[in-house]
Amino acid sequence: MEYKKIVVAGGAGFIGSNFVHYIVKNHPNVHVTVLDKLTYAGNKENIADLPKDRVSFVLGDICDEWLDDKIVENADAVVNYAAETHNDNSLIDPEPFIQTNIIGTYKLIQACRKYGVRYHHISTDEVYGDLPLRKDLPGHGEGKGEKFTSMSRYKPSSPYSSSKASSDLLVKAWARSFGLKATISNCSNNYGPYQYIEKFIPRQITNILSGIKPKLYGTGENVRDWIYTGDHSRAVWDILTKGQIGETYLIGADGEMNNKDVLEMILEMMDQPKDAYDVVKDRPGHDLRYAIDSSKLRNELGWEPKYTDFREGLKETIDWYRDHEDWWKANKEKVEKKYAKNGQ
Ligand code: NAD
Ligand code: DAU
């Protein structure tokens, strides 16, 4: 199914804007309406270079029922990236997470239900909680250990991940009871251009570029399953156009690495000594390991990641932050002050 008029909620954020770029580049017959509240994490600059006849922008909140109604009525499909997304922020103040991630999703799916519009829900692997570290498992090593599948139990750890889990459950219930034409995708950690500098990889790159020591939480043994954001965008497109209504697809690129190894790679690639970082206070409830089994997406929809070499994707990401200082510089001091106040 090819959709001609797509609403991308949260399309001025990191992954949402990458998805809008992906559509403009690869699907010339599709028009995108970005609906975004432009919170601290949203930036109109992320989509400013895209042609106005392909992408329109609406400043607004997905919690606004009247606005959702007006925008969804004219759409063929809605893809919802709009969310509060940072775990550390959710531990300081959960309220915006409850509002946007739960109430906002509820308002948006009600509008889709009313007009019979196709809805795709962007979610996260964090709804499944965490997995044991591979080193703690018998016969540890590459490729060993349990991974998340769409059958895994919901077991979120933080206010952020529990609000995302809640939104997934709303979507599942609306699909079953009201026939909402919905799919859900749960993706692992993304990296790439346009990621706000509070997040792990851009924080460390911009620290080094600013002459600040990178900051590692706790032991650095926590494992994340990294995927380049362009690969996530292609997967979402495949699910939107070829996925089975009512199904959940997990998106991941077999990119498991622990935080210490990622940080040391960044340091080495930016010509810094391997140990030039500070160990700071750990995150409360810090999830140990995420790992995605994406075989359903690969086998049923034929998706494959293009970026299988993390080093290559990381190099492009480092170069992007180096070349776009004007994009992040103004927020750097504010972000680091907030972390410092929190001992991180
Ligand atoms: P982000 O924080 O960079 O962007 C979120 C965007 O949503 C911003 O543009 C913000 O202005 C907008 N927004 C926030 N509240 C809104 C509201 N009430 N109404 C309208 N717009 C609002 O986030 P991201 O990292 O791009 O994540 C996007 C989605 O992908 C989220 O749903 C997140 O849970 C999910 N996800 C993220 C990752 C990751 O690694 N970053 C991985 C898996 C899934
Ligand atoms: O797994 C998908 C999730 O990935 C998304 O749902 C979230 O929106 C996204 O923020 C991300 O969550 P994480 O909590 O894994 O990402 P974050 O960038 O905050 O941290 C990644 C890891 O790095 C985590 O183990 C904490 C650690 N960390 C983070 C920061 C900011 C550090 O060691 N130092 C830091 O300065």
Side-chain angles (χ1 to χ4, degrees):
M1 183 79 183
E2 179 98 359
Y3 301 100
K4 298 273 183 271
K5 290 177 286 176
I6 299 183
V7 171
V8 179
F14 163 46
I15 315 183
S17 65
N18 274 287
F19 182 64
V20 178
H21 279 264
Y22 163 81
I23 292 183
V24 169
K25 188 166 171 207
N26 297 287
H27 301 284
N29 298 323
V30 177
H31 181 270
V32 177
T33 300
V34 170
L35 166 61
D36 200 295
K37 189 180 170 184
L38 295 184
T39 65
Y40 75 95
N43 189 341
K44 235 180 135 178
E45 283 303 305
N46 298 0
I47 47 171
D49 59 337
L50 296 174
K52 300 284 172 279
D53 60 330
R54 301 286 316 282
V55 180
S56 21
F57 179 80
V58 177
L59 176 64
D61 190 331
I62 56 165
C63 299
D64 181 339
E65 196 174 312
W66 177 85
L67 184 60
D68 288 340
D69 195 279
K70 256 181 104 74
I71 289 178
V72 169
E73 186 180 6
N74 297 311
D76 300 327
V78 171
V79 182
N80 182 18
Y81 290 87
E84 287 292 334
T85 63
H86 194 38
N87 275 298
D88 293 322
N89 292 344
S90 80
L91 294 160
I92 297 169
D93 179 13
E95 177 75 25
F97 292 77
I98 306 303
Q99 280 304 327
T100 289
N101 300 2
I102 305 178
I103 306 294
T105 298
Y106 160 67
K107 299 283 186 187
L108 211 44
I109 57 178
Q110 279 286 75
C112 290
R113 174 189 167 200
K114 181 171 169 186
Y115 295 109
V117 168
R118 171 86 168 85
Y119 177 83
H120 180 70
H121 190 64
I122 301 294
S123 192
T124 170
D125 57 0
E126 298 196 11
V127 299
Y128 304 116
D130 61 358
L131 298 163
L133 293 176
R134 280 196 308 232
K135 74 173 186 56
D136 296 335
L137 297 167
H140 70 273
E142 267 315 302
K144 290 271 165 55
E146 187 198 343
K147 294 186 173 196
F148 298 131
T149 72
S150 58
M151 302 307 286
S152 296
R153 187 162 70 89
Y154 274 54
K155 196 168 55 71
S157 313
S158 73
Y160 162 66
S161 51
S162 57
S163 68
K164 290 297 292 186
S166 306
S167 67
D168 288 13
L169 298 183
L170 292 177
V171 175
K172 286 172 193 276
W174 261 239
R176 175 164 171 155
S177 297
F178 300 132
L180 181 74
K181 290 185 285 180
T183 41
I184 299 176
S185 54
N186 300 79
C187 188
S188 58
N189 284 64
N190 285 224
Y191 70 102
Y194 302 111
Q195 186 168 31
Y196 192 65
I197 54 169
E198 67 191 344
K199 300 285 168 72
F200 179 56
I201 288 182
R203 183 183 184 203
Q204 314 314 334
I205 295 171
T206 56
N207 271 3
I208 295 169
L209 293 173
S210 308
I212 303 170
K213 272 193 179 175
K215 311 288 182 226
L216 187 68
Y217 293 177
T219 61
E221 282 183 316
N222 307 64
V223 170
R224 296 296 182 260
D225 189 351
W226 293 102
I227 179 171
Y228 196 73
T229 188
D231 282 330
H232 185 179
S233 293
R234 272 192 309 107
V236 169
W237 180 263
D238 287 351
I239 297 166
L240 182 70
T241 54
K242 297 187 282 183
Q244 282 240 20
I245 299 299
E247 286 297 312
T248 291
Y249 296 88
L250 268 58
I251 308 173
D254 296 328
E256 279 186 75
M257 275 184 81
N258 77 37
N259 296 337
K260 187 163 175 282
D261 288 346
V262 173
L263 180 53
E264 286 179 357
M265 193 183 277
I266 294 172
L267 284 160
E268 182 242 306
M269 289 171 74
M270 295 182 74
D271 302 318
Q272 303 291 311
K274 212 173 148 183
D275 59 352
Y277 61 86
D278 295 326
V279 172
V280 294
K281 198 179 88 182
D282 206 353
R283 175 184 286 172
H286 197 171
D287 281 340
L288 288 175
R289 170 176 167 248
Y290 305 140
I292 293 272
D293 174 349
S294 59
S295 52
K296 178 174 168 180
L297 175 67
R298 293 174 194 240
N299 297 338
E300 288 182 18
L301 305 185
W303 174 87
E304 290 286 339
K306 284 188 181 156
Y307 280 80
T308 46
D309 181 350
F310 181 68
R311 213 183 158 80
E312 185 195 329
L314 193 57
K315 185 186 175 314
E316 282 187 22
T317 307
I318 292 171
D319 289 347
W320 190 87
Y321 283 92
R322 200 178 259 130
D323 295 344
H324 291 81
E325 205 173 287
D326 53 332
W327 185 87
W328 57 266
K329 193 80 183 172
N331 291 318
K332 188 64 190 166
E333 200 181 326
K334 181 176 65 185
V335 169
E336 287 310 310
K337 256 194 186 148
K338 187 170 174 187
Y339 273 124
K341 204 171 150 202
N342 212 29
Q344 292 174 318

